Amino acid sequence: MQAKVNTLCLAKRKPKWLTLRFIELTSTESVFYSPAHNLKGSSALIVIYKNGLTSKTMQYIASQSTYPAAVFLNQNEIAKRHCNIRWFNQTSEIKRCGHGTLAAANFLIGYLGYCPEVFTSMSNERFTIRVKKQRAQLLLKSIEPKKSELAEGELKSVFSSAIKAAYSTGDKNGYTVVLFNEEFNKKPDKEVEKDDLKSLHVDFNALNKLHKNAVIALSIKNIDKKNTIAHFRYFAPQFGVNEDSATGSAVSVIAPLLFRLYGLNKAKLIQQSNNGALLNYEFNNAKVVIY
């Protein structure tokens, strides 16, 4: 059964850009939601276009959208094994977007009964898709962060809670994970377990000026190899998004860190944004499967 295509997904009045001859169809798709946990996840605008749609027009369409990401796929490629993919938020093109890629894959499974095995970004990064029970799973290469006293110092004034440690994948355009547990190689104390990242205050102006990476705030809530739960939030004002609602790409950094510090191959990640999101993953051989 094909998914119903929604071509009026941005407003009650039909947006002008929908009349463009380059647009084949549009729809929306949600991922990382969990009604049982009252977590809404995140959604993406899916735009299937014909040859001729420019980057400038893609950015314009995304700027008119109310969704965290607009995903652009070429009509001539969506039924092939490999498909190029681009993502934009309201202000700029996105380099990596896990939630947008999963949303696009799930939409195509519903619409075509098929989705490409690999999506390729503008930077030639491969986003591999596995299909299980008619739902997409995203396979990413992990990105190993290193402990960074420099990042810890730069971010000291950004958060309302004291940072216990910071790990970075690079000094610019990468990811930095800040930890609010005492030590990852020790069991979190009861006071830390009670802490909720929802109450964490972030100075976005300071973050934008002081640090060049997107920042993942992470706190372990339950350490159990069969049922580990961690909370996180994702901040990237440097890339046009103060806080993201559901961030699949962040798992490629969180997963190897949890493995190195705890020996964990899988966990449930609850993203404590306003909407909330539930991300499950499995980590093996430097690759992360996210679903």
Side-chain angles (χ1 to χ4, degrees):
M1 180 179 179
Q2 290 188 339
K4 182 179 180 181
V5 178
N6 179 7
T7 56
L8 296 173
C9 50
L10 298 183
K12 291 181 180 179
R13 297 182 63 183
K14 188 174 182 178
K16 290 182 179 179
W17 59 261
L18 274 177
T19 62
L20 291 173
R21 60 188 176 89
F22 301 113
I23 303 297
E24 177 66 18
L25 61 88
T26 67
S27 188
T28 58
E29 189 77 25
S30 296
V31 292
F32 302 141
Y33 54 86
S34 174
H37 296 87
N38 195 30
L39 302 173
K40 297 179 181 178
S42 187
S43 56
L45 171 68
I46 314 298
V47 181
I48 310 298
Y49 67 92
K50 305 172 186 177
N51 289 334
L53 192 66
T54 66
S55 298
K56 184 177 180 180
T57 303
M58 291 180 188
Q59 183 61 74
Y60 169 72
I61 292 171
S63 73
Q64 302 301 302
S65 164
T66 59
Y67 298 94
V71 185
F72 293 86
L73 304 171
N74 191 311
Q75 180 191 19
N76 295 326
E77 299 176 352
I78 57 176
K80 297 180 180 180
R81 291 182 60 189
H82 297 262
C83 178
N84 291 312
I85 189 168
R86 298 179 73 175
W87 320 272
F88 290 77
N89 60 30
Q90 279 77 11
T91 61
S92 58
E93 186 163 7
I94 303 170
K95 184 179 179 181
R96 306 176 82 233
C97 186
H99 108 264
T101 306
L102 267 179
N106 281 321
F107 165 72
L108 291 176
I109 290 169
Y111 179 64
L112 297 176
Y114 168 85
C115 77
E117 296 177 10
V118 176
F119 291 99
T120 305
S121 72
M122 290 291 287
S123 60
N124 291 318
E125 182 176 5
R126 292 163 61 91
F127 294 76
T128 302
I129 299 296
R130 295 177 179 175
V131 179
K132 188 173 182 179
K133 296 181 179 179
Q134 290 301 299
R135 294 295 294 176
Q137 297 183 345
L138 176 62
L139 178 64
L140 292 177
K141 290 183 178 180
S142 64
I143 305 174
E144 185 75 35
K146 297 180 180 179
K147 198 164 187 179
S148 174
E149 293 183 1
L150 174 62
E152 184 177 346
E154 288 181 345
L155 296 169
K156 187 175 181 180
S157 62
V158 171
F159 297 100
S160 58
S161 296
I163 297 172
K164 303 305 179 183
Y167 292 79
S168 291
T169 62
D171 296 328
K172 184 179 181 181
N173 297 328
Y175 298 89
T176 294
V177 183
V178 292
L179 311 178
F180 295 97
N181 295 102
E182 284 296 334
E183 291 288 346
F184 257 51
N185 59 357
K186 297 178 181 179
K187 195 171 183 178
D189 59 43
K190 292 183 179 179
E191 291 303 315
V192 174
E193 285 186 355
K194 291 179 181 179
D195 180 50
D196 191 340
L197 289 181
K198 284 185 178 180
S199 63
L200 184 68
H201 176 73
V202 184
D203 186 335
F204 292 112
N205 289 328
L207 175 55
N208 194 24
K209 293 177 181 178
L210 297 173
H211 200 63
K212 296 180 180 179
N213 285 347
V215 176
I216 303 163
L218 180 65
S219 180
I220 299 296
K221 312 309 295 183
N222 178 57
I223 304 173
D224 180 342
K225 287 195 174 182
K226 293 183 179 180
N227 190 32
T228 298
I229 297 175
H231 290 175
F232 79 102
R233 293 173 67 184
Y234 180 91
F235 312 107
Q238 312 92 319
F239 306 108
V241 180
N242 280 351
E243 180 169 4
D244 200 2
S245 55
T247 319
S249 59
V251 187
S252 63
V253 182
I254 295 173
L257 185 59
L258 289 179
F259 179 75
R260 186 172 74 189
L261 298 173
Y262 272 148
L264 297 168
N265 289 95
K266 60 182 180 179
K268 288 184 178 180
L269 300 176
I270 296 178
Q271 189 161 345
Q272 292 191 305
S273 59
N274 286 336
N275 286 341
L278 176 63
L279 295 82
N280 293 282
Y281 78 86
E282 295 180 12
F283 174 72
N284 191 32
N285 294 326
K287 295 182 179 179
V288 187
V289 179
I290 307 163
Y291 53 96

